[in-house]
């Protein structure tokens, strides 16, 4: 029975918090697992944990997406022993800019953008945020800007993949009885 009339008054809010905690924990696990995968450059990742941020954005809204993203970055860095390292600041800058763009498109796009479009915009924003942070904190050299087009191409490809994964997850989750009222 998923009727909200039959549920105790606080159950929908508790259910929302529980699912948000589960999505956040899963995002941290995926983020941590992704750091174990070999990559051509240390900072290039698929960003599959961002699929969960997209799912949360579409199910619960911008505040929940911010909560998941910031928790994933901080707790992931803490678990990996990378809190306050240069990589942490790059991830934080990229994650904040990506979340800002994704939540803005979701809120003000009035349904014109789906998970794939928002994901690509978020991935491109993430690459730009990381590049700006790298320039500000680590490498003040013009060569950094010459590799940005390569980063953007990679971001578009990973954004498409992540958006596709998020769209599939959303399709399946919206049919699940536990999330029927979201």
């Amino acid at each position: 029975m998923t009727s909200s009339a039959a549920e105790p008054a606080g159950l929908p809010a508790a259910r929302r918090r529980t699912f948000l905690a589960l999505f956040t924990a899963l995002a941290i696990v995926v983020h941590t697992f992704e750091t174990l995968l070999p990559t051509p450059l240390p900072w290039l990742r698929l960003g599959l944990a961002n699929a969960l941020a997209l799912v949360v954005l579409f199910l619960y809204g911008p505040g929940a997406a911010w909560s998941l993203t910031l928790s994933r970055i901080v707790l992931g860095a803490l678990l990996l022993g990378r809190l306050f390292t240069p990589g942490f600041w790059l991830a934080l800058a990229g994650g904040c800019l990506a979340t800002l763009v994704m939540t803005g498109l979701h809120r003000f796009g009035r349904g014109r953008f789906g998970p794939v479009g928002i994901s690509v915009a978020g991935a491109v924003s993430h690459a730009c945020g990381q590049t700006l942070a790298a320039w500000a904190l680590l490498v003040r050299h013009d060569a950094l800007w010459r590799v940005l087009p390569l980063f953007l191409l990679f971001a578009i490809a990973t954004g498409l993949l992540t958006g596709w994964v998020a769209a599939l997850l959303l399709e399946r989750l919206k049919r699940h009885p536990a999330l029927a009222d979201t």
Side-chain angles (χ1 to χ4, degrees):
M1 178 187 293
T2 60
S3 170
S4 54
E7 294 178 345
L11 189 58
R15 181 179 294 171
R16 181 184 191 279
R17 286 191 306 270
T18 301
F19 276 106
L20 184 55
L22 289 171
F23 284 126
T24 302
L26 187 56
I28 293 167
V29 168
V30 171
H31 170 82
T32 303
F33 175 74
E34 245 184 338
T35 62
L36 302 175
L37 298 176
T39 59
L41 296 170
W43 58 87
L44 289 180
R45 303 263 184 264
L46 292 175
L48 290 175
N50 294 325
L52 294 159
L54 284 164
V55 167
V56 166
L57 175 64
F58 277 84
L59 290 178
Y60 300 116
W66 275 103
S67 175
L68 182 139
T69 298
L70 293 174
S71 297
R72 176 185 56 82
I73 292 168
V74 172
L75 294 174
L78 186 63
L79 287 171
L80 294 167
R82 298 178 180 169
L83 192 61
F84 304 126
T85 64
F88 167 78
W89 296 112
L90 295 179
L92 186 63
C96 286
L97 187 57
T99 305
L100 181 68
V101 168
M102 291 188 310
T103 57
L105 285 174
H106 184 261
R107 179 175 282 165
F108 301 114
R110 304 195 190 282
R112 287 184 289 222
F113 302 101
V116 175
I118 290 177
S119 177
V120 170
V124 167
S125 301
H126 195 280
C128 290
Q130 282 194 323
T131 303
L132 286 169
W135 184 80
L137 300 172
L138 302 171
V139 182
R140 288 199 177 237
H141 194 277
D142 290 339
L144 183 63
W145 302 113
R146 288 189 215 121
V147 296
L148 183 59
L150 177 65
F151 292 160
L152 295 177
L153 283 174
F154 186 77
I156 290 169
T158 60
L160 287 168
L161 174 66
T162 302
W164 177 72
V165 168
L168 289 176
L169 282 170
L170 280 165
E171 184 180 309
R172 302 273 320 249
L173 289 171
K174 285 188 175 185
R175 292 192 313 249
H176 194 280
L179 295 169
D181 294 333
T182 57

